[in-house]
Amino acid sequence: MRYLVLSDIHANLEALEAVLEAARTMPYDKVLVLGDLVGYGADPNGVVDRIRGLAPHAVIRGNHDKVGAGLEPSDAFNTVARAAIRWTYEALSDDNRDWLADLPAGPTAVDELLEICHGTPFDEDVYVFDDTDVLRAMEASSRRLCLFGHTHVQVGYRLARQSLTLETADPRRPLHIDIADGHYLINPGSVGQPRDGDPRAGFGVYDATRQVVEIHRTAYPVERAQARIREAGLPEALAQRLGIGR
Ligand code: ZN
């Protein structure tokens, strides 16, 4: 069984289509979505429709989905994110807004090895940045492998025999993380708004049979996503950051 893992799509339909095209050749059986389908980008309905059409095996919500669906106020967001999420709330169809509002919060167990969450297993809104965060998240996880999102950075942590090691994706080739032994906390990166200086869309594949997590990158027409953001009247900063992957 191979799962395509999508996180932080952020209403970027151009990036999502490119990822689905790239993933066709991998290939995969089922889809997992780690939250933040909407917010920042100009195609919230296009992205939600496309994901719903894929009938994912599991989808959990992210902080932007929660606020975009009207479940929480946008007070915790910065000015740019707040302007975008207010636009998103208005732009969403009633049906898609209801669908987002019904998404479960993580963590969700996928099989005996894997669970998925947005930020951490103990709080969907908390970011994993340093070793302390990693260890806290691993401790809270009910599985040996936890896939997470929220930071928009592709990274993998392995804890085995009391030693924590870090695997960072090499931009030139896909990273394969063998999960045979130890605990793992892995972020497949962001489809629609990467923040590691590489503008290409990030995604992952979890091969449950071979016990490997693959981390991939694929180019997409960034200028088209930027043009859509400008046409929608969303903050210019959101178009700019896609070009530099920050
Ligand atoms: Zn996000």
Side-chain angles (χ1 to χ4, degrees):
M1 178 67 69
R2 283 169 63 83
Y3 296 88
L4 173 64
V5 188
L6 307 175
S7 190
D8 297 279
I9 304 165
H10 283 292
N12 186 338
L13 189 57
E14 285 76 18
L16 176 60
E17 292 295 357
V19 163
L20 293 174
E21 181 60 30
R24 281 202 318 158
T25 60
M26 304 222 160
Y28 61 91
D29 306 294
K30 293 180 175 178
V31 178
L32 304 173
V33 185
L34 313 188
D36 277 1
L37 287 80
V38 303
Y40 298 134
D43 283 297
N45 288 305
V47 164
V48 172
D49 288 342
R50 192 72 167 96
I51 292 295
R52 291 176 74 174
L54 295 171
H57 180 72
V59 196
I60 53 172
R61 70 184 186 194
N63 50 321
H64 287 257
D65 303 323
K66 235 183 340 182
V67 179
L71 297 178
E72 259 184 20
S74 57
D75 306 358
F77 283 13
N78 64 39
T79 317
V80 168
R82 195 179 308 139
I85 210 67
R86 285 184 180 156
W87 179 92
T88 301
Y89 178 83
E90 297 297 333
L92 280 165
S93 68
D94 290 346
D95 188 46
N96 281 338
R97 203 185 299 114
D98 289 348
W99 183 83
L100 284 172
D102 284 342
L103 289 180
T108 295
V110 174
D111 62 20
E112 60 288 338
L113 201 64
L114 168 69
E115 77 175 9
I116 58 174
C117 66
H118 185 63
T120 69
F122 59 87
D123 188 330
E124 61 195 320
D125 291 356
V126 168
Y127 290 90
V128 170
F129 285 131
D130 60 24
D131 289 3
T132 310
D133 302 335
V134 172
L135 293 172
R136 273 199 334 164
M138 280 182 175
E139 210 161 281
S141 177
S142 69
R143 294 293 188 270
R144 222 158 53 68
L145 168 64
C146 179
L147 297 177
F148 72 106
H150 201 34
T151 61
H152 300 206
V153 174
Q154 293 183 319
V155 70
Y157 301 93
R158 173 176 183 261
L159 179 67
R161 287 170 289 282
Q162 251 110 101
S163 160
L164 186 64
T165 48
L166 167 74
E167 302 218 49
T168 317
D170 177 339
R172 289 159 300 181
R173 59 191 165 81
L175 173 70
H176 286 200
I177 303 174
D178 192 327
I179 49 164
D181 160 47
H183 281 82
Y184 295 83
L185 190 66
I186 300 174
N187 189 328
S190 168
V191 171
Q193 196 197 73
R195 294 181 190 165
D196 58 0
D198 180 348
R200 294 176 302 161
F203 65 102
V205 173
Y206 163 51
D207 189 322
T209 315
R210 287 171 50 236
Q211 300 207 348
V212 168
V213 176
E214 305 167 10
I215 303 289
H216 294 278
R217 224 53 195 255
T218 195
Y220 75 95
V222 172
E223 0 33 83
R224 286 227 296 269
Q226 291 175 316
R228 298 275 297 123
I229 285 172
R230 290 178 179 127
E231 281 159 25
L234 284 158
E236 171 62 19
L238 294 172
Q240 296 279 339
R241 70 186 303 176
L242 292 184
I244 54 171
R246 287 287 177 199

